[in-house]
């Protein structure tokens, strides 16, 4: 039996965090690669969405992803929410064959750090412990660490059951 690869996403129009985590048959969980899909804010929404889709394709070409999940969006302002959900639509369409799962931010925090109102730093600390990363391991951005937390939530929910 081979490793299972999981993709976690923190989707946005300008800076989508992503993380690939592997789970070995004996249950060992390992961070494989992370990144951020940056968009040129001078480009149209269509160009940014195409860039995001092309990056998703590159990740899928590199890794045999079996499961994918994203953090659920939230509505604060109508205009920004409409823009955000364009990016969510691209992820939904691209990963439809994997039955893309969505988790609420509080659920992710509770699963990873033990409480739904955990701070970003508490979540990062829990990620370091779960993945046995060095204490001084730094994430490039909150988008990247959020994507790792999403992937861990998916693993605990679907893979290690």
């Amino acid at each position: 039996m081979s490793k299972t690869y999981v993709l976690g996403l923190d989707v946005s129009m300008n800076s989508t965090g992503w993380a690939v985590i592997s789970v070995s048959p004996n249950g060992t969980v390992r961070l494989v690669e992370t990144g951020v899909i940056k968009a040129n804010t001078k480009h149209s929404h269509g160009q940014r969405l195409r860039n995001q889709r092309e990056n998703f394709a590159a990740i899928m070409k590199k890794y045999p992803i079996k499961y994918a999940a994203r953090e659920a969006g939230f509505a604060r302002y109508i205009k920004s929410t409409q823009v955000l959900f364009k990016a969510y639509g691209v992820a939904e369409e691209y990963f439809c064959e994997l039955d893309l799962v969505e988790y609420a931010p509080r659920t992710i925090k509770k699963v990873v750090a033990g409480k739904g109102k955990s701070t970003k730093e508490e979540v990062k600390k829990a990620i370091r412990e779960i993945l046995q990363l060095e204490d001084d391991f730094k994430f490039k951005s909150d988008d990247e660490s959020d994507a790792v937390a999403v992937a861990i939530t998916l693993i605990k929910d679907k893979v290690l059951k």
Side-chain angles (χ1 to χ4, degrees):
M1 186 175 218
S2 61
K3 292 180 182 176
T4 300
Y5 289 86
V6 173
L7 175 67
L9 297 167
D10 181 30
V11 177
S12 77
M13 183 63 86
N14 298 327
S15 180
T16 293
W18 62 272
V20 175
I21 296 179
S22 69
V23 182
S24 66
N26 69 1
T28 301
V29 179
R30 186 176 73 80
L31 182 62
V32 176
E33 186 175 359
T34 63
V36 177
I37 301 169
K38 287 283 191 186
N40 183 333
T41 56
K42 294 180 181 176
H43 287 169
S44 69
H45 288 172
Q47 290 169 313
R48 292 188 227 176
L49 295 169
R50 181 176 42 216
N51 175 57
Q52 188 169 76
R53 191 174 204 298
E54 289 169 353
N55 276 274
F56 290 161
I59 294 165
M60 292 297 289
K61 185 175 182 180
K62 189 171 182 180
Y63 299 105
I65 304 296
K66 184 170 181 178
Y67 300 100
R70 70 172 177 222
E71 184 174 19
F74 55 92
R76 189 171 292 156
Y77 303 104
I78 292 173
K79 186 81 170 163
S80 61
T81 300
Q82 290 171 338
V83 171
L84 174 65
F85 280 104
K86 289 178 182 182
Y88 271 63
V90 169
E92 185 77 28
E93 180 273 332
Y94 192 85
F95 296 106
C96 69
E97 300 300 321
L98 297 179
D99 294 323
L100 182 68
V101 180
E102 187 173 86
Y103 296 104
R106 282 190 180 202
T107 299
I108 295 165
K109 291 175 183 179
K110 184 171 184 179
V111 168
V112 174
K115 60 183 182 177
K117 292 187 177 184
S118 299
T119 65
K120 292 267 187 199
E121 287 309 312
E122 289 170 330
V123 171
K124 288 177 186 177
K125 182 177 187 279
I127 289 169
R128 286 185 197 94
E129 290 172 8
I130 292 166
L131 297 176
Q132 299 178 9
L133 302 172
E134 299 295 324
D135 290 341
D136 61 350
F137 179 89
K138 299 276 189 226
F139 293 98
K140 294 177 200 116
S141 70
D142 287 343
D143 301 316
E144 186 183 57
S145 61
D146 287 352
V148 174
V150 171
I152 290 170
T153 302
L154 176 60
I155 289 166
K156 290 185 173 190
D157 183 38
K158 302 273 185 202
V159 181
L160 295 178
K161 281 198 157 187

